[in-house]
Amino acid sequence: MRLTIFGSGYVGLVTGACMAETGNHVVCVDIDEAKIARLNAGEVPIYEPGLDAYIERNMEAGRLEFTTDVAKGVAHGLFQFIAVGTPPDEDGSADLKHVLAVARSIGEHIEEYRIVVDKSTVPVGTADKVKAEIQSALDARGKAVEFDVVSNPEFLKEGAAIDDFMKPDRIIVGTDNPRTTELLKSLYEPFNRNHDRVIGMDVRSAELTKYAANAMLATKISFMNELANLAERFDADIEKVRIGIGSDPRIGYHFIYPGTGYGGSCFPKDVRALAQSAQQAGYEAALLSAVETVNDRQKHRLFEKIHSHYDGRLEGRTVALWGLSFKPRTDDMREAPSRVLMEALWDAGASVRAYDPEAMDEARRLYPDEPRLALCESAYAALEGADVLAIATEWQEFRSPDFPTIKDSLADPVIFDGRNLYEPDTVETLGLMYYAIGRGRQSRTDRPD
């Protein structure tokens, strides 16, 4: 089939590459000329495992193209995917200006039947606005062209997006026209062979499903972090509690890992946007507000532990930091807990020596002139000249470190572990003090004897 994808960011690139991989002819359109030039030169502007190989292979096969030509894109595909960003507005609501700009462009160039697919994460009712924008542009042209607008939200995890797209848990299709449902089923047939993963529903329910999924996962994370903070006060071990409750199949083990809060491009933005949508509908979503409040507070926990350990005297201290991305297998630092920690340390007069397997370039872009940040070429290089070690991201290479080297490298052999990677007794037996999240008295800076 012939597809056009507007937006060559994370969702657009993964969608385009995976659709081309199954034999479709895909044209990706973006107004960013520099990005399109990089893509046409074989440079992938984001890090996602396996994505560069998919893009290279399908460009060579002639199934994947990148262009700034909007008219070419509208003329090309029966399916017109909208996969542009919906950044938060000042009040937390999703800013739809990019989505509606694409809709307007489609309306200005459409000449025959098209299925417009909202792939971006958008508030309930957005499909109606997209439809109205396209129709307005058609009316201005004096044209009468049939089109449908459907909701087909993405459920891609950064770091595992290729697998998520190629082997989806579910494919949500929200339509008001049975014909478009069948056409989308045909499009997704290669990803749907073992059993039917397509779940059809009305457009508004599909739009809400995406927000509901992310808000539910964010709620689980905040709830576990709330329990972790209680565990510290009760001298209980949240990791034991996690295993105990996760064994209940009604709860399960997914997304119940305590830590320093969620980040990234989805959960923070989507929880705020859903809460704002609720407010606009005349409903106070108290639970969503609490989820965000707990998460914002949790991002400060590592700093609070370091601050307390030194009785507030951080001036001149140096902290080694392992992990900058908001989670492993990505270079994304949007709303990452590491940023909250670093900025708090700088405000307190401390310096940071940081290492991340993938996010170093992103850190340079975000903090180009920060004199108190040293970006190091390895985890152990970050320890050189540091007083203590803090861990903000659970990268695989941090899970089994050389503890004697850590001890010998640090001026003050202390680990502040924001991801509960190690067993407290084991670390302390090796001569290091260890603060984690919710691991009972060993997580507290005011430890009882």
Side-chain angles (χ1 to χ4, degrees):
M1 294 187 179
R2 299 168 70 87
L3 290 76
T4 298
I5 299 176
F6 287 93
S8 294
Y10 186 84
V11 174
L13 286 177
V14 173
T15 301
C18 291
M19 285 293 189
E21 183 72 9
T22 58
N24 298 299
H25 185 188
V26 180
V27 170
C28 292
V29 181
D30 201 294
I31 61 172
D32 187 334
E33 294 182 1
K35 181 188 289 187
I36 293 299
R38 288 181 63 190
L39 286 163
N40 282 323
E43 298 178 33
V44 181
I46 61 172
Y47 174 74
E48 177 62 36
L51 180 59
D52 52 352
Y54 270 52
I55 289 176
E56 179 182 4
R57 180 164 57 247
N58 286 287
M59 286 181 68
E60 290 177 353
R63 294 190 298 265
L64 181 60
E65 302 176 39
F66 298 98
T67 183
T68 59
D69 189 340
V70 173
K72 175 182 177 179
V74 176
H76 172 78
L78 168 63
F79 297 95
Q80 304 273 309
F81 280 78
I82 301 179
V84 294
T86 53
D89 217 333
E90 291 183 3
D91 61 359
S93 61
D95 187 344
L96 296 177
K97 63 183 178 184
H98 301 305
V99 170
L100 297 180
V102 172
R104 194 176 312 116
S105 296
I106 293 172
E108 289 168 350
H109 295 93
I110 187 173
E111 295 291 344
E112 56 185 324
Y113 178 70
R114 292 290 181 261
I115 299 171
V116 180
V117 183
D118 283 339
K119 200 70 174 171
S120 302
T121 300
V122 293
V124 176
T126 298
D128 294 336
K129 295 179 180 179
V130 168
K131 185 179 296 185
E133 198 71 35
I134 296 173
Q135 189 59 56
S136 176
L138 282 170
D139 292 344
R141 294 170 57 202
K143 286 271 189 176
V145 180
E146 185 183 3
F147 66 94
D148 284 303
V149 179
V150 306
S151 175
N152 174 221
E154 53 85 15
F155 296 94
L156 305 176
K157 297 186 295 292
E158 290 194 44
I162 297 294
D163 283 345
D164 286 344
F165 200 101
M166 301 301 286
K167 301 173 184 177
D169 297 318
R170 74 285 207 198
I171 302 167
I172 302 296
V173 174
T175 72
D176 295 325
N177 184 337
R179 177 180 62 175
T180 55
T181 302
E182 294 306 312
L183 287 169
L184 280 161
K185 282 186 176 181
S186 297
L187 176 64
Y188 278 106
E189 180 63 28
F191 313 97
N192 195 38
R193 300 188 70 84
N194 291 337
H195 62 272
D196 191 3
R197 296 178 175 88
V198 174
I199 302 173
M201 58 184 71
D202 62 278
V203 173
R204 285 179 169 250
S205 295
E207 291 171 333
L208 181 56
T209 296
K210 169 61 177 179
Y211 274 121
N214 280 354
M216 174 64 79
L217 297 176
T219 300
K220 293 182 74 173
I221 294 170
S222 281
F223 181 72
M224 283 305 295
N225 284 331
E226 195 84 303
L227 288 180
N229 294 331
L230 283 176
E232 291 185 12
R233 288 154 178 80
F234 294 158
D235 287 344
D237 187 343
I238 192 62
E239 290 299 320
K240 302 295 191 295
V241 175
R242 177 181 65 80
I243 294 169
I245 66 174
S247 62
D248 185 333
R250 296 172 300 174
I251 298 173
Y253 291 105
H254 295 298
F255 286 86
I256 61 169
Y257 289 87
T260 53
Y262 57 77
S265 63
C266 295
F267 287 6
K269 173 176 69 72
D270 293 351
V271 169
R272 292 182 202 126
L274 184 56
Q276 185 63 26
S277 293
Q279 185 176 341
Q280 292 170 356
Y283 180 74
E284 181 185 355
L287 179 58
L288 294 176
S289 299
V291 167
E292 184 179 6
T293 298
V294 169
N295 190 63
D296 289 343
R297 183 176 64 198
Q298 197 69 16
K299 288 183 178 181
H300 291 87
R301 290 296 292 136
L302 269 191
F303 173 76
E304 291 167 0
K305 290 175 184 289
I306 299 171
H307 186 271
S308 179
H309 175 79
Y310 284 114
D311 295 322
R313 295 188 292 270
L314 289 172
E315 185 74 36
R317 298 283 182 183
T318 299
V319 176
L321 178 60
W322 286 1
L324 294 168
S325 58
F326 83 95
K327 72 173 188 176
R329 294 171 61 84
T330 181
D331 61 354
D332 194 343
M333 289 179 63
R334 284 175 287 185
E335 305 216 29
S338 65
R339 298 180 64 179
V340 174
L341 173 60
M342 288 193 295
E343 290 166 14
L345 288 168
W346 296 333
D347 288 344
S351 298
V352 175
R353 293 178 58 80
Y355 167 74
D356 187 283
E358 293 295 340
M360 303 294 270
D361 288 342
E362 180 66 2
R364 292 186 186 95
R365 185 187 72 81
L366 291 170
Y367 303 108
D369 302 311
E370 179 48 67
R372 295 160 296 182
L373 173 62
L375 294 171
C376 305
E377 60 187 26
S378 73
Y380 294 103
L383 302 175
E384 297 172 6
D387 292 292
V388 297
L389 168 64
I391 302 172
T393 314
E394 64 275 30
W395 283 96
Q396 197 70 27
E397 68 179 83
F398 302 155
R399 291 185 178 273
S400 185
D402 185 338
F403 288 109
T405 296
I406 295 174
K407 180 185 176 184
D408 292 343
S409 300
L410 298 174
D412 186 6
V414 184
I415 298 176
F416 296 88
D417 182 1
R419 296 300 177 183
N420 289 358
L421 297 184
Y422 316 126
E423 280 301 317
D425 290 340
T426 301
V427 177
E428 297 202 340
T429 298
L430 294 170
L432 292 121
M433 185 171 282
Y434 183 66
Y435 299 107
I437 303 293
R439 304 302 300 267
R441 68 171 185 85
Q442 288 169 305
S443 297
R444 292 163 51 185
T445 50
D446 59 339
R447 299 180 180 188
D449 294 333

